[in-house]
Amino acid sequence: MFHDTFSVLKVFSLATLAFIVTILWTPLLTSFLYRHKLGKQIRSEDSAPIYAKMHQAKSGTPTMGGMLIWVTTLVIALVIAWIALLSDFDFFKQLNFLTRSETLLPLGALIATALVGLLDDYYNVRKMGANGGGLRVRHKLIIYTAIAIVGAWWFVAKLDWTTMYVPFLGNYDLGWWFAPIIVFLIVATSFSVNETDGLDGLAGGTLLACFAVFGLIAFSQGSVDLATFCAVISGALLAFLWFNIHPARFFMGDTGSMSLGTTLAIVAILTNAVYILPIIGFVFVAEALSVIIQLSSKKIRKKKVFLSTPLHHHFEAIGWPETKIVMRFWVLTAVMAVLGLSFYLFVQ
């Protein structure tokens, strides 16, 4: 009974700690971003006329705000692990949530992809890279695929994991097929979340719901460390949203969206509940599909299906206020999160 109570306290206390720590150092990051003029460059009217017209007023708003989330998560994980290593108190050892079996992989992936995203954001604000807009898409695809391959290797070599749960049928050993499927899931999720990061608070709010649900699932499975990891990210995300809601003080940037998308996919795989990821992350799927449909239609039919993509920009173009789009997408994500969680409980 005590162990169960401590586990609950561990999850909620560290989530609260993450929220407080993020709130406290946000002014330092904000001051740094504004002082060094690390503002996002809005695409030109030549390449995206509708988007440029709607978002020109946001040009110069600092990006890289996603640092608040991954830096806080990394610092809390390392500091607690360090204290647990040096201390003789069992309390700190139980508070530690950095373990090889549950959290080392998602934390490592979070930091690796965050650093790549940080470089991409820096190139964007300094007008470096492809047409002054950061890394080329194909280069990002190669880099993130390489990170995903390392993640798949970790699952197979370090965790001895090649199975995946199929609803109503049970666990299936996928053999060598496991690795490419994992790579696809990680890359697809990271880029889908990145497409969603286009309005104030949109990506942060939808990601918060997703991490909260998978944290709950992890806790129900007895994976307390993974649940705590999700809780810490959720706490940091909540603090990030405090400053990111309209009008945003700063944007998440690729350092936040790409890293959190990658981490979300890995967490879903670790809970063996990846089959509900498209349900809970329905907004991410819809955003990514809108881009794929638009590009395919323009190439094949020479016509656009949407006024602008990703999908949230289409709603902007037809006259929906930004706050209405964000709030409705939040509501939709909340509904899909409950639906996904209900489906998970039903098939167990």
Side-chain angles (χ1 to χ4, degrees), residues 64 76 80 160 177 211 224 246 258 271 299 309 314 323:
M64 307 184 193
I76 289 177
I80 293 178
D160 193 26
W177 276 103
F211 275 105
V224 178
H246 186 76
M258 295 298 291
T271 58
K299 186 176 183 63
T309 55
H314 172 77
T323 50

Side-chain angles (χ1 to χ4, degrees), residues 8-9 28 121 181 246 251 344:
V8 173
L9 291 174
L28 297 176
D121 289 334
I181 291 175
H246 186 76
F251 300 140
Y344 167 80

